[in-house]
């Protein structure tokens, strides 16, 4: 029998089991284990477990407490790959080292979860995770009984990194460890020393493959400092810089957001001393406008710096590269025995590609604002064929579970922008098509009014891909959650059909509540309709395609399994309509666009639809005379799907009970236009426990505008408007406004440090 030593064979190893045979764990078990780690002054903690609920605040806050106590946590990123947006908590937290897996050929393992983080969606953009990758496929390890066996999983890669961390800790003299070693300094050594792999992008591999020797060299001469990860955003470095390298910047576009992580090795708490500054390398760099949001308080050991990048209107015809550096100065209180505070300047290098503004016909606007995901609400999966997961938790973003769709549209020559604000916050004259896919939220009355005007008068095209909605099916999906000791019920269906029907009512279009499933042939292509809905109302003069399907809403079992005796019924699922100067296309299923549970894509159909909605090009099959509606398809409104009355939807909605405002990801110059009287301020969801500064800047080397920063309440922030206006206008502001401002400032200073907390559930699954 062979005797094998591990990576770090001398440390004292404590093994804690926090799951039973069914691989189910409860938050309280984790809290007990973490408290023990804190009480025993543990140095390194590996967690080969995780789950999607980053709003399980007792768990998340205990992880913060653990790392704040200088315990270095290494955690597996998850085994939900190759899907994107599948990061597991706590590995997705900035203060934790999140580890993905590769095989011995340096390929990212198919099972390894991919980024980005989804905490920040819909108004922001996710952080880069995993932090790095390590070997985790077919690794030789111990059996539970005796001997060895081959193991695979990010739960295997994570202890590999934990062992490397132990080795790195051992090189620092014991009398210096407290002043040097902490969760931030170790992560800095790991990510800066990692070897970037050729092929995977940064949301697949993070900084790259862990490199013990390089990290050793960094740590050997380490001085406490702050840094930014990633330290470079290079649009010319493809595929590593995907998705940014796939689409250049151009004037008139929605802001492109890049979210970097601040690592502060100088102390558990830190602050931004002065606002971030953009330093262009050449004159063309002054065409770049950047709005910054960042953590006002960096704790524990980490924060974030988000860039909201736009090209100014004077760069509408510019083609070329913009390069330069962003700097931000971080400081921490003095360490024990020191008299002066610690500080240093972090640098983020930018190399951006810019093109002239594309024509309207190739510009698509993706609606992210009306998407709701788990957590916090029970948002059900879109396909009833998926049995191993009830929750829609991948973010529904172009760069998560719709990443293949994004790449397809770019390959087809389209430019796709993301709107994380209401439909009143964009200029319809700039876009060929508004793309509404798998949306769960409601709509403001102003949005419905504006969309009608955009389509009929501004010639905007609209493409809608809906999903199932059936109240009886939702009731069957109810289950008891042992972690929260409460019943969980879906708050809506795969899509919010009653809300979509309100949005489309002005055009005479409405969806039904059937759950249709089956194959059909259109344009000589075989297609799958998976858990889609039907069309109940459609006006005369449009084109409506119907096919025979099974209706799962008629099933009596709790899983909506199709019974052998069920018969197919003809159901309309695809409609195309010209309205005034614009065009509308509706389709009842989005599973063929969603990489999460796609069996067969319908990209060919989307291309044909976009040809119609953006260019008014009509495919002869889709616009055949045989499917033209000579009479309207109509049902009474009381027969349309109705909203659930037993769910408090406002808890999860960005619309119900909320104020109509444009978020910081919309174009600032269109706020308040179209006579919709939009308030010129912003509201942002952000990382919990991070105080946020929001700086709107039109930056050059010689002139800067600094936005005011405020301490914010937990989970929400309000920001002042930063739109440029003539300086002379300030002389007309009544003096009373200044007095009120001083009074408010004094009141806010009295409120510092207060936070609201919200509760949520956590269900963690063993890897």
């Amino acid at each position: 029998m062979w005797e094998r030593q591990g990576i770090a064979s001398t440390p004292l190893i404590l093994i804690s089991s926090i799951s039973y045979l069914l691989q189910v764990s409860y938050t309280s078990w984790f809290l007990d284990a973490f408290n023990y780690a804190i009480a025993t002054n543990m140095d390194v903690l590996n967690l080969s477990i995780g789950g999607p609920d980053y709003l399980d605040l007792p768990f998340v806050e205990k992880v913060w407490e653990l790392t704040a106590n200088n315990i270095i946590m290494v955690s597996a990123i998850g085994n939900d790959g190759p899907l994107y947006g599948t990061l597991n908590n706590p590995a997705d937290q900035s203060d934790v080292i999140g580890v993905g897996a590769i095989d011995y050929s340096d390929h990212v393992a198919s099972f390894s979860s991919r980024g980005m983080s989804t905490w920040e969606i819909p108004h922001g953009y996710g952080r880069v995770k995993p932090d790095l990758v390590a070997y985790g496929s077919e690794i030789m390890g111990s059996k539970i009984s005796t001997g060895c066996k081959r193991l695979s999983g990010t739960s295997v890669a994570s202890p590999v990194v934990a062992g490397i961390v132990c080795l790195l800790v051992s090189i620092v003299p014991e009398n210096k460890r407290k002043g040097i070693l902490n969760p931030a300094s170790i992560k800095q050594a790991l990510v800066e020393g990692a070897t970037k792999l050729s092929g995977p992008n940064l949301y697949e591999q993070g900084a790259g493959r862990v490199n013990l020797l390089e990290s050793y060299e960094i740590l050997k001469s380490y001085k406490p400092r702050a840094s930014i990860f990633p330290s470079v955003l290079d649009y010319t470095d493809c595929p590593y810089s995907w998705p940014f390298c796939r689409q250049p910047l151009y004037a008139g576009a929605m802001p492109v957001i890049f979210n970097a992580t601040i690592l502060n090795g100088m102390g558990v708490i830190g602050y931004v001393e002065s606002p971030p500054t953009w330093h262009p390398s050449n004159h063309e760099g002054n065409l770049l406008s950047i709005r910054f949001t960042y953590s006002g308080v960096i704790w524990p050991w980490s924060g974030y710096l988000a860039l909201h990048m736009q090209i100014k209107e004077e760069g509408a015809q510019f083609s070329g590269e913009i390069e330069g550096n962003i700097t931000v100065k971080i400081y921490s209180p003095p360490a024990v025995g020191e008299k002066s505070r610690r500080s240093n300047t972090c640098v983020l290098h930018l190399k951006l590609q810019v093109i002239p503004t594309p024509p309207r016909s190739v510009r698509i606007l993706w609606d992210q604002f009306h998407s709701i995901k788990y957590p916090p609400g029970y948002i059900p999966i879109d396909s009833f064929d998926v049995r191993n997961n009830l929750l829609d938790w991948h973010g529904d973003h172009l760069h998560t579970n719709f990443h293949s769709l994004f790449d397809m549209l770019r390959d087809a020559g389209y430019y796709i922008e993301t709107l994380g604000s209401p439909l009143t916050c964009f200029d319809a004259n700039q876009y060929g098509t508004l793309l509404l896919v798998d949306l769960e939220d409601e709509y403001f009355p102003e949005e419905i009014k504006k969309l009608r005007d955009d389509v009929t008068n501004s010639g905007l095209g609209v493409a809608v891909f809906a999903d199932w909605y059936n109240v009886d099916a939702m009731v069957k999906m109810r289950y008891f959650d042992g972690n929260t000791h409460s019943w969980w019920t879906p708050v809506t269906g795969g899509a919010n059909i009653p809300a979509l029907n309100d949005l489309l009512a002005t055009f005479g279009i409405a969806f039904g509540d059937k759950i249709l499933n089956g194959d059909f042939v259109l344009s000589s292509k075989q297609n799958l309709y998976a858990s889609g809905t039907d069309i109940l109302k459609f006006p005369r003069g449009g084109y409506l395609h119907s096919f025979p399907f099974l209706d799962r809403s008629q099933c009596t079992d709790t899983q909506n399994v199709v019974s052998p005796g069920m018969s197919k019924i003809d159901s309309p699922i695809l409609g195309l309509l010209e309205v005034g100067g614009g065009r509308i296309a509706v389709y009842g299923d989005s599973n063929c666009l969603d990489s999460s549970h796609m069996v067969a894509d319908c990209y060919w159909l989307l291309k044909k639809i976009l040809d119609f909605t953006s260019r008014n090009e009509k495919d002869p099959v889709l616009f055949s005379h045989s499917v033209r509606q000579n009479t309207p398809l109509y049902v009474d409104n009381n027969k349309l799907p109705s909203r659930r009355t037993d769910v408090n939807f406002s808890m999860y909605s960005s619309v119900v009970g909320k104020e109509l405002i444009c978020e910081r990801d919309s174009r600032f110059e269109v706020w308040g236009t179209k006579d919709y009287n939009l308030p010129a301020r912003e509201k942002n969801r952000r990382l919990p426990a991070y105080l946020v500064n929001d700086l709107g800047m039109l930056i050059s080397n010689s002139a800067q505008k600094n936005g005011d920063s405020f301490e914010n309440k937990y989970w929400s922030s309000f920001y002042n408007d930063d739109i440029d206006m003539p300086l002379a206008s300030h002389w007309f502001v009544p003096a009373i406004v200044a007095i009120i401002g001083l009074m408010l400032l004094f009141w806010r200073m009295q409120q510092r440090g207060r936070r609201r907390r919200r509760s949520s559930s956590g269900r963690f699954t063993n890897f």
Side-chain angles (χ1 to χ4, degrees):
M1 180 175 171
W2 289 9
E3 188 175 313
R4 296 178 180 269
Q5 288 190 338
I7 293 175
S9 56
T10 56
L12 173 64
I13 299 176
L14 301 176
I15 300 175
S16 177
S17 177
I18 45 181
S19 66
Y20 58 86
L21 292 178
L22 296 178
Q23 293 190 335
V24 175
S25 305
Y26 294 101
T27 297
S28 59
W29 300 355
F30 286 97
L31 302 186
D32 289 341
F34 292 163
N35 283 332
Y36 179 80
I38 295 171
T40 56
N41 294 316
M42 192 175 291
D43 295 310
V44 181
L45 189 150
N46 175 74
L47 201 64
S48 290
I49 201 168
D53 191 359
Y54 55 79
L55 289 184
D56 182 8
L57 289 188
F59 180 91
V60 172
E61 290 178 347
K62 184 58 68 173
V63 171
W64 289 336
E65 180 185 348
L66 188 140
T67 57
N69 277 274
N70 215 28
I71 297 176
I72 300 164
M73 176 178 277
V74 184
S75 184
I77 203 69
N79 293 341
D80 297 293
L83 306 178
Y84 282 65
T86 54
L87 302 176
N88 280 239
N89 182 265
D92 62 347
Q93 293 184 212
S94 298
D95 55 322
V96 175
I97 301 169
V99 182
I102 55 173
D103 59 25
Y104 284 119
S105 299
D106 282 350
H107 298 138
V108 174
S110 60
F111 56 77
S112 186
S113 291
R114 274 73 165 165
M116 58 183 174
S117 65
T118 58
W119 297 42
E120 301 80 3
I121 295 172
H123 308 309
Y125 193 82
R127 289 160 290 115
V128 174
K129 284 279 183 169
D131 294 301
L132 73 169
V133 291
Y135 294 117
S137 181
E138 297 294 311
I139 304 299
M140 210 47 130
S142 300
K143 288 184 179 179
I144 295 178
S145 54
T146 58
C148 300
K149 68 175 182 179
R150 295 191 180 277
L151 304 169
S152 295
T154 55
S155 58
V156 180
S158 180
V160 169
V161 173
I164 288 175
V165 170
C166 290
L167 285 177
L168 292 174
V169 169
S170 68
I171 71 167
V172 179
E174 198 163 340
N175 62 340
K176 295 183 179 180
R177 288 179 184 175
K178 283 190 176 180
I180 294 179
L181 299 179
N182 57 61
S185 63
I186 289 295
K187 184 185 281 195
Q188 287 171 329
L190 289 174
V191 299
E192 292 169 15
T195 301
K196 188 169 75 172
L197 303 177
S198 175
N201 65 56
L202 75 168
Y203 296 104
E204 296 173 321
Q205 64 167 307
R209 184 188 67 231
V210 64
N211 187 321
L212 173 60
L213 294 180
E214 289 295 327
S215 296
Y216 161 74
E217 292 296 333
I218 293 170
L219 200 58
K220 187 171 63 174
S221 57
Y222 182 83
K223 301 294 183 185
R225 56 182 170 82
S227 63
I228 295 175
F229 170 70
S231 60
V232 177
L233 175 59
D234 185 355
Y235 271 48
T236 65
D237 185 10
C238 241
Y240 181 73
S241 292
W242 182 94
F244 304 97
C245 63
R246 290 285 278 134
Q247 180 165 304
L249 297 174
Y250 49 86
M254 292 291 169
V256 173
I257 306 175
F258 178 67
N259 197 353
T261 298
I262 300 173
L263 299 173
N264 181 25
M266 299 182 295
V268 64
I269 190 169
Y271 306 90
V272 175
E273 182 171 318
S274 55
T277 306
W278 163 235
H279 306 275
S281 299
N282 49 38
H283 177 72
E284 287 77 11
N286 291 308
L287 295 175
L288 178 64
S289 166
I290 305 181
R291 185 180 180 92
F292 296 102
T293 52
Y294 57 89
S295 305
V297 176
I298 301 168
W299 182 91
W301 309 105
S302 61
Y304 76 94
L305 172 64
L307 285 58
H308 307 254
M309 301 178 290
Q310 292 177 286
I311 299 300
K312 300 176 184 178
E313 292 300 332
E314 51 264 39
Q317 299 303 316
F318 175 73
S319 178
E321 294 180 358
I322 287 178
E323 194 166 359
N325 293 322
I326 290 170
T327 60
V328 57
K329 193 169 185 179
I330 309 296
Y331 75 91
S332 287
V336 176
E338 297 179 350
K339 294 183 178 180
S340 58
R341 67 186 188 183
R342 296 176 167 184
S343 67
N344 85 286
T345 300
C346 304
V347 179
L348 170 60
H349 183 71
L350 295 184
K351 188 176 183 180
L352 313 175
Q353 288 184 321
V354 184
I355 61 171
T357 302
R360 177 188 188 184
S361 61
V362 296
R363 291 177 63 181
I364 299 172
L365 188 62
W366 171 274
D367 180 7
Q368 190 67 42
F369 178 79
H370 296 94
S371 174
I372 306 177
K373 65 184 187 308
Y374 171 85
Y378 179 2
I379 307 300
I381 203 74
D382 298 322
S383 173
F384 281 88
D385 293 326
V386 178
R387 301 293 181 187
N388 60 349
N389 197 339
L390 292 175
L391 302 170
D392 188 357
W393 63 281
H394 299 165
D396 285 347
H397 192 280
L398 277 170
H399 302 154
T400 57
N401 50 309
F402 289 100
H403 67 96
S404 296
L405 170 65
F406 169 78
D407 286 336
M408 181 279 295
L409 292 173
R410 286 296 301 122
D411 291 339
Y414 288 101
Y415 296 85
I416 315 96
E417 303 169 31
T418 302
L419 178 66
S421 296
L423 301 182
T424 52
C425 301
F426 76 97
D427 182 2
N429 293 295
Q430 303 301 315
Y431 301 95
T433 297
L434 173 67
L435 191 53
L436 311 176
V437 179
D438 185 20
L439 299 178
E440 296 90 0
D441 212 338
E442 296 287 332
Y443 298 88
F444 290 105
E446 293 88 347
E447 293 183 279
I448 298 173
K449 177 183 175 184
K450 178 177 182 291
L451 185 65
R452 179 184 63 191
D453 179 70
D454 288 342
V455 173
T456 56
N457 298 326
S458 300
L460 178 69
V462 177
V464 180
F465 284 74
D467 263 307
W468 70 271
Y469 181 95
N470 184 278
V471 174
D472 291 337
M474 287 183 247
V475 173
K476 294 176 187 177
M477 298 174 73
R478 183 172 178 254
Y479 74 92
F480 186 78
D481 176 44
N483 199 50
T484 59
H485 299 284
S486 61
W487 285 96
W488 279 56
T489 305
V491 300
T492 186
N496 190 339
I497 293 302
L500 282 174
N501 286 347
D502 286 349
L503 185 69
L504 299 172
T506 186
F507 307 113
I509 300 173
F511 290 106
D513 63 356
K514 292 180 180 178
I515 305 175
L516 303 176
N517 184 272
D519 298 313
F520 67 97
V521 176
L522 179 62
S523 192
S524 302
K525 293 180 174 61
Q526 189 76 17
N527 304 275
L528 174 65
Y529 205 69
S531 307
T533 190
D534 60 327
I535 299 173
L536 287 184
K537 296 177 70 173
F538 205 76
R540 181 178 59 187
Y543 296 80
L544 194 63
H545 295 259
S546 301
F547 302 93
F549 296 110
L550 296 172
D551 181 10
R552 280 183 166 177
S553 65
Q554 302 301 316
C555 300
T556 57
D557 63 280
T558 57
Q559 291 187 329
N560 292 285
V561 176
V562 175
S563 304
M566 293 181 63
S567 58
K568 295 183 176 181
I569 54 175
D570 276 344
S571 302
I573 62 168
L574 171 64
L576 304 112
L577 178 70
E578 291 184 272
V579 181
R583 293 157 293 279
I584 298 176
V586 292
Y587 187 66
D589 185 24
S590 72
N591 286 286
C592 56
L593 301 179
D594 188 341
S595 301
S596 293
H597 24 76
M598 181 191 296
V599 177
D601 71 67
C602 59
Y603 294 156
W604 74 270
L605 177 60
L606 176 59
K607 290 179 182 178
K608 297 291 185 182
I609 287 175
L610 293 175
D611 286 342
F612 168 61
T613 56
S614 292
R615 301 186 177 99
N616 200 19
E617 297 177 2
K618 299 177 180 179
D619 179 81
V621 174
L622 298 186
F623 290 87
S624 169
H625 288 294
S626 62
V627 295
R628 182 179 172 86
Q629 289 292 108
N630 295 319
T631 57
L633 180 67
Y634 179 81
V635 297
D636 289 335
N637 288 337
N638 58 12
K639 294 183 179 180
L640 296 178
S642 58
R643 292 172 173 83
R644 299 194 63 174
T645 58
D646 58 340
V647 173
N648 184 7
F649 196 71
S650 64
M651 293 177 59
Y652 320 106
S653 172
S654 295
V655 175
V656 179
K658 308 301 189 301
E659 187 179 1
L660 175 60
I661 54 177
C662 289
E663 306 291 345
R664 70 177 186 272
D665 61 351
S666 61
R667 291 193 60 216
F668 312 137
E669 57 265 41
V670 301
W671 290 0
T673 60
K674 300 287 183 184
D675 298 323
Y676 289 107
N677 301 317
L678 300 181
R681 65 173 179 175
E682 305 170 82
K683 187 177 182 180
N684 171 41
R685 282 193 167 195
R686 54 183 172 76
L687 295 180
Y690 289 160
L691 304 179
V692 173
N693 286 312
D694 184 1
L695 296 180
M697 295 187 170
L698 299 180
I699 300 179
S700 66
N701 261 338
S702 57
Q704 301 178 18
K705 275 188 59 186
N706 297 341
D708 297 331
S709 63
F710 296 93
E711 182 165 353
N712 302 284
K713 292 287 189 178
Y714 198 71
W715 277 116
S716 64
S717 311
F718 294 89
Y719 300 91
N720 63 318
D721 185 21
D722 238 354
I723 302 174
D724 287 337
M725 61 175 153
L727 185 62
S729 66
H730 292 283
W731 295 107
F732 298 99
V733 178
I736 190 66
V737 174
I739 297 173
I740 294 174
L742 290 173
M743 294 173 63
L744 288 174
L745 179 61
F746 177 79
W747 178 82
R748 296 226 20 123
M749 291 176 65
Q750 297 296 321
Q751 303 298 311
R752 283 185 177 269
R754 301 181 187 176
R755 294 181 180 173
R756 287 187 290 113
R757 301 195 183 278
R758 61 183 293 180
S759 62
S760 61
S761 70
R763 285 158 304 288
F764 285 78
T765 55
N766 199 322
F767 297 161

